[in-house]
C-alpha cells in the first residue's frame, strides 16, 4: 500500500491479528487463571491489589481493541452486539458503581471481564469460514 492509497482511504484496513494487538493473550489468561481456577487460593493484601490493578489495566487495553474489531462487522451482527455489550460491562466494573465492596469478588469480576474480552477479541478476529 502506498502513502497515497492510505491518504485516499481507498484501501481497507488489515484485519486485526494477534500480532497486531497491544496485549499478550497468553499471559493475560495465565494471570486470570490465578484468580479463577477452581483450586486457586484467594489472593490477599498486596498481591490482591496488584492483580486487581493488572486486570483494570488489561480491561483498559482490551476494550478499544474489541471495539475496533467489532466495529468492522455489520451493525446487525449478533457477535458484534455481544462483544460491545461485554465492553460496556467491563467498563462499568471500573466505575465506582461497579466496584464490589469485597476486594476478592472485585478481582474475580475483573478477571472474568478480561477473559470475556479476550474471547471476543479472538473470536471476532478469526477469518470467517
Amino acid at each position: 500500500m502506498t502513502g497515497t492509497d492510505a491518504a485516499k482511504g481507498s484501501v481497507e484496513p488489515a484485519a486485526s491479528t494477534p500480532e497486531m494487538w497491544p496485549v499478550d493473550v497468553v499471559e493475560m489468561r495465565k494471570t486470570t487463571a490465578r484468580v479463577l481456577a477452581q483450586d486457586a487460593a484467594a489472593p490477599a493484601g498486596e498481591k490482591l491489589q496488584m492483580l486487581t490493578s493488572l486486570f483494570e489495566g488489561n480491561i483498559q487495553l482490551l476494550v478499544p481493541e474489541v471495539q475496533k474489531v467489532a466495529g468492522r462487522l455489520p451493525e446487525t451482527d449478533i457477535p458484534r452486539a455481544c462483544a460491545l455489550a461485554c465492553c460496556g460491562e467491563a467498563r462499568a466494573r471500573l466505575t465506582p458503581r461497579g466496584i464490589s465492596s469485597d476486594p476478592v469478588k472485585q478481582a474475580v469480576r475483573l478477571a472474568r471481564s478480561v477473559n470475556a474480552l479476550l474471547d471476543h477479541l479472538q473470536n471476532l478476529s478469526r477469518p470467517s469460514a
Side-chain angles (χ1 to χ4, degrees), residues 11-122:
V11 178
E12 282 292 312
S16 181
T17 62
E19 297 79 28
M20 297 170 63
W21 300 337
V23 298
D24 185 337
V25 173
V26 173
E27 282 305 311
M28 284 184 178
R29 293 231 188 247
K30 284 181 188 177
T31 305
T32 59
R34 293 170 56 188
V35 173
L36 299 176
Q38 292 293 330
D39 58 348
E46 283 185 31
K47 187 174 184 179
L48 179 61
Q49 289 176 339
M50 186 270 307
L51 287 170
T52 300
S53 294
L54 183 62
F55 297 148
E56 290 170 349
N58 290 165
I59 289 169
Q60 291 171 348
L61 286 171
L62 286 166
V63 166
E65 291 304 310
V66 172
Q67 289 176 320
K68 187 185 324 177
V69 174
R72 293 186 180 119
L73 300 173
E75 287 187 26
T76 56
D77 193 78
I78 292 173
R80 176 188 193 267
C82 292
L84 294 176
C86 182
C87 290
E89 178 69 22
R91 277 194 171 135
R93 289 182 174 176
L94 300 178
T95 66
R97 182 177 242 181
I99 295 174
S100 173
S101 59
D102 180 336
V104 174
K105 284 184 182 177
Q106 179 64 12
V108 168
R109 288 179 181 173
L110 294 174
R112 287 183 181 148
S113 285
V114 170
N115 273 347
L117 290 166
L118 288 170
D119 289 344
H120 287 297
L121 185 61
Q122 291 178 305

Side-chain angles (χ1 to χ4, degrees), residues 15-17 122-129:
S16 181
T17 62
Q122 291 178 305
N123 291 335
L124 295 179
S125 297
R126 288 189 184 123
S128 47

